[in-house]
Amino acid sequence: MRILIFFDLPTETARDRKIYSKFRKFLIKEGFIMMQESVYVKLTLNNSITNAIKEKIQKNKPSRGIVQMLVITEKQFNSMEYIVRR
């Protein structure tokens, strides 16, 4: 399974940027890899690990902004299409 985290956090003030940076560093510490700006992904082995990670995200989410989680299977993740301009 894969957990995808999408977030849109305010960065208007120095305090906002500090909170943004803290959340981003938390994701990296938890083993998430950046797919693109504000989109992070992590591979998980089973539902219990996935649920534990989801709880950690809930506890560490910033008070402002939007954080979204999406859990998908490895098969769904592998069917993702990358569209690039040549």
Side-chain angles (χ1 to χ4, degrees), residues 3-32:
I3 300 178
L4 286 98
I5 303 293
F6 309 89
F7 59 94
D8 186 13
L9 304 177
T11 57
E12 297 158 1
T13 66
R15 184 173 184 270
D16 288 341
R17 288 187 292 277
K18 185 175 181 178
I19 291 169
Y20 176 96
S21 180
K22 182 179 177 185
F23 183 67
R24 187 180 162 282
K25 287 177 183 178
F26 161 75
L27 291 175
I28 292 168
K29 183 180 172 196
E30 290 298 316
F32 283 84

Side-chain angles (χ1 to χ4, degrees), residues 33-84:
I33 299 170
M34 185 172 73
M35 288 185 63
Q36 63 185 50
E37 191 173 343
S38 299
V39 179
Y40 285 72
V41 65
K42 179 176 178 155
L43 177 67
T44 60
L45 299 177
N46 58 45
N47 281 334
S48 61
I49 293 172
T50 300
N51 291 334
I53 293 168
K54 287 168 68 175
E55 286 179 23
K56 282 185 178 181
I57 301 279
Q58 288 287 349
K59 289 179 183 175
N60 289 280
K61 67 179 172 63
S63 59
R64 294 180 53 211
I66 298 170
V67 177
Q68 298 167 299
M69 291 186 281
L70 176 64
V71 178
I72 60 175
T73 65
E74 193 62 18
K75 184 176 180 178
Q76 290 169 323
F77 184 81
N78 287 329
S79 69
M80 184 184 322
E81 293 184 40
Y82 291 90
I83 303 170
V84 295

